Amino acid sequence: MHRIKLCKYFPKPIAYSYQTVHHQTHLENVASMASLLKSRSVIRFSGPDTVKFLQGLLTNDVRRFSEPLGGQNSSLPTPNLPSVSASPIYAALLTPQGRFLYDLFLYRPSRPEEKLDRTGSGPGPDSGLSGSVELFADVDTSVFDELLATFKRYRLRSKVDIENVAEDFSCWQRYGKNISEKSSFVEEPEATAVGWGGGVDHSGMATARGNNHGWQWFKDPRLDFLGYRGIFPSNTTPPLVESDKETDEHNFLLWRLELGIAEGSSEIPKGEAIPLEYNLAGLNAISFDKGCYVGQELVARTHHRGVIRKRLLPLRFLGEVDQKVAPGSEVIESATGKKAGTVITAVGSRGLGLLRLEEAFKGSGSLKSIQGEEDVKVEAIRPAWWPADWFPEYQQHTVVL
């Protein structure tokens, strides 16, 4: 069990425990945290058909992994880090009917020839990967075996190897108020201490000194304020992870719940969820410009229709909520008993719900509650990161015009 460690940035009067966090979240006061994500496992794709194989399956455009790296993530090369780095991609695999199956974060590791050799006097040795691409993906641990089998079933004669490397690599996340408020042009104080300079890419680099693999932190490809994400060898602690800032991944779950962001097949119901209702387009998981992929027809039709009447959004439960709110609970209008939506995830006083927007954001006088637990009131929260055209008043205005 990964032990919770108290962060020095929590106000002292707060007793830092799961029970306290459930009922009274103070994560907005936390400067920065880092969590080992045991809910995610790592697989590796390699071979000359890797990009072509994934391009025909996933919702996002993975072709840029096979293109020459641009200069946007650039710095001086070191024996551990290249001069340029490919940013990760968030994507999903859907059913042929366009329903969500699995989400993936894809990373392209740097090659030896993109870095300096161990002496720092010249380029590293040729990797022998010319014409081939190696990609790593962090995926939901709870469906890991099933996901591997699904990819192997789609492989057919494609020249791509799909390997379980969950024992060798782990997924980490750095997040918190200070991290989320940084722009790509503002240097983190922690980074200065390990040798970052003004010319180093703050969204991608971990440190100019590290292990022989040169694994890096990257800005979370979904939204900047989610912080930094990366995969690292399991026998090492990533750079910039200090002992007093390492905490259980339960707190990353709470951080996501407050922002209204689901992750994995338990929070985005497998075989049921419509990707656009779970905001995957706003989380940069879908490309509407790429060619065909599994399940594209429903996604494209829903997108071009232009109106999404239900969306996943953050919920706050008010009242005595202990064990009274569970996934699947119905959210109803207190006055009329009319169903407004369904709770998808619930952790104490926080949760995620799939609600009809017209009902969710009615006037403040329109209270909602949980079916069968009318003493538990429900507050639907407007996420600050949502674009204006997702809100019902914008859609109604557009229709009138």
Side-chain angles (χ1 to χ4, degrees):
M1 180 69 179
H2 196 54
R3 185 164 54 91
I4 301 177
K5 297 180 181 179
L6 179 62
C7 175
K8 64 185 178 183
Y9 294 97
F10 274 94
K12 290 184 178 180
I14 299 173
Y16 187 55
S17 66
Y18 280 168
Q19 183 175 6
T20 301
V21 172
H22 283 182
H23 294 279
Q24 197 174 14
T25 53
H26 291 272
L27 295 181
E28 66 273 12
N29 298 322
V30 181
S32 65
M33 294 180 285
S35 297
L36 169 65
L37 303 185
K38 294 183 178 180
S39 62
R40 309 294 291 188
S41 295
V42 182
I43 60 177
R44 175 165 53 201
F45 301 93
S46 60
D49 291 343
T50 295
V51 170
K52 180 181 177 182
F53 171 71
L54 293 174
Q55 181 72 4
L57 293 177
L58 303 182
T59 56
N60 217 333
D61 194 337
V62 301
R63 290 175 297 179
R64 63 181 175 86
F65 283 131
S66 62
E67 298 171 351
L69 295 176
Q72 71 276 14
N73 288 347
S74 61
S75 70
L76 295 176
T78 76
N80 292 309
L81 296 176
S83 59
V84 291
S85 304
S87 299
I89 290 176
Y90 183 50
L93 178 66
L94 310 180
T95 69
Q97 295 75 34
R99 304 285 176 158
F100 176 89
L101 276 178
Y102 318 111
D103 62 353
L104 306 88
F105 293 81
L106 291 164
Y107 311 80
R108 204 213 84 173
S110 57
R111 300 174 179 174
E113 66 267 24
E114 295 169 346
K115 302 177 285 186
L116 297 183
D117 61 20
R118 296 303 300 166
T119 67
S121 60
D126 191 334
S127 62
L129 292 175
S130 179
S132 181
V133 173
E134 179 186 39
L135 297 177
F136 287 78
D138 80 66
V139 302
D140 187 344
T141 299
S142 68
V143 293
F144 185 71
D145 293 336
E146 178 187 320
L147 181 148
L148 273 177
T150 300
F151 275 114
K152 290 179 179 180
R153 187 170 66 249
Y154 275 118
R155 179 172 52 183
L156 299 177
R157 296 185 179 180
S158 298
K159 296 178 181 179
V160 55
D161 293 322
I162 306 169
E163 303 171 75
N164 176 354
V165 293
E167 294 296 320
D168 302 319
F169 297 94
S170 301
C171 180
W172 288 74
Q173 188 90 20
R174 291 178 60 231
Y175 55 100
K177 184 173 184 292
N178 278 11
I179 291 177
S180 68
E181 290 179 347
K182 304 289 183 185
S183 73
S184 59
F185 302 102
V186 179
E187 189 171 88
E188 294 187 62
E190 298 94 332
T192 307
V194 293
W196 282 4
V200 175
D201 169 49
H202 307 287
S203 67
M205 295 300 180
T207 173
R209 300 174 60 192
N211 55 59
N212 292 334
H213 299 280
W215 298 98
Q216 302 168 233
W217 286 108
F218 292 95
K219 242 179 192 178
D220 193 303
R222 294 169 293 182
L223 297 167
D224 283 353
F225 53 69
L226 280 171
Y228 295 83
R229 196 178 185 103
I231 55 173
F232 300 88
S234 295
N235 61 352
T236 64
T237 299
L240 302 181
V241 176
E242 302 173 17
S243 61
D244 62 343
K245 294 183 181 179
E246 184 179 341
T247 183
D248 193 275
E249 73 169 297
H250 185 89
N251 290 305
F252 181 55
L253 168 61
L254 292 175
W255 182 258
R256 287 191 293 100
L257 294 185
E258 292 193 8
L259 297 172
I261 297 170
E263 182 175 299
S265 300
S266 58
E267 297 174 25
I268 311 175
K270 182 169 64 73
E272 301 177 11
I274 296 174
L276 298 188
E277 291 184 347
Y278 282 73
N279 306 324
L280 291 188
L283 297 174
N284 298 315
I286 300 174
S287 169
F288 296 103
D289 300 320
K290 64 174 287 185
C292 295
Y293 57 87
V294 175
Q296 181 193 30
E297 184 178 353
L298 175 66
V299 174
R301 185 169 65 246
T302 306
H303 172 69
H304 292 298
R305 191 176 63 201
V307 177
I308 311 296
R309 302 192 185 281
K310 292 189 296 182
R311 284 192 183 274
L312 187 78
L313 46 86
L315 303 178
R316 182 181 291 115
F317 307 120
L318 310 174
E320 295 297 325
V321 299
D322 279 342
Q323 300 179 346
K324 290 185 176 181
V325 183
S329 299
E330 290 189 0
V331 179
I332 61 172
E333 288 287 341
S334 297
T336 64
K338 181 180 179 181
K339 181 179 177 180
T342 304
V343 175
I344 302 299
T345 301
V347 180
S349 62
R350 293 288 185 170
L352 297 173
L354 185 66
L355 272 63
R356 291 197 308 275
L357 297 178
E358 185 177 0
E359 304 293 334
F361 298 126
K362 278 184 176 179
S364 58
S366 177
L367 295 178
K368 283 163 280 294
S369 57
I370 297 297
Q371 177 74 47
E373 300 288 350
E374 281 72 14
D375 57 324
V376 178
K377 303 304 178 184
V378 181
E379 178 185 1
I381 301 170
R382 288 175 174 254
W385 60 272
W386 277 23
D389 59 359
W390 283 11
F391 291 101
E393 57 266 29
Y394 178 95
Q395 296 178 0
Q396 292 170 0
H397 181 66
T398 304
V399 171
V400 171
L401 292 177

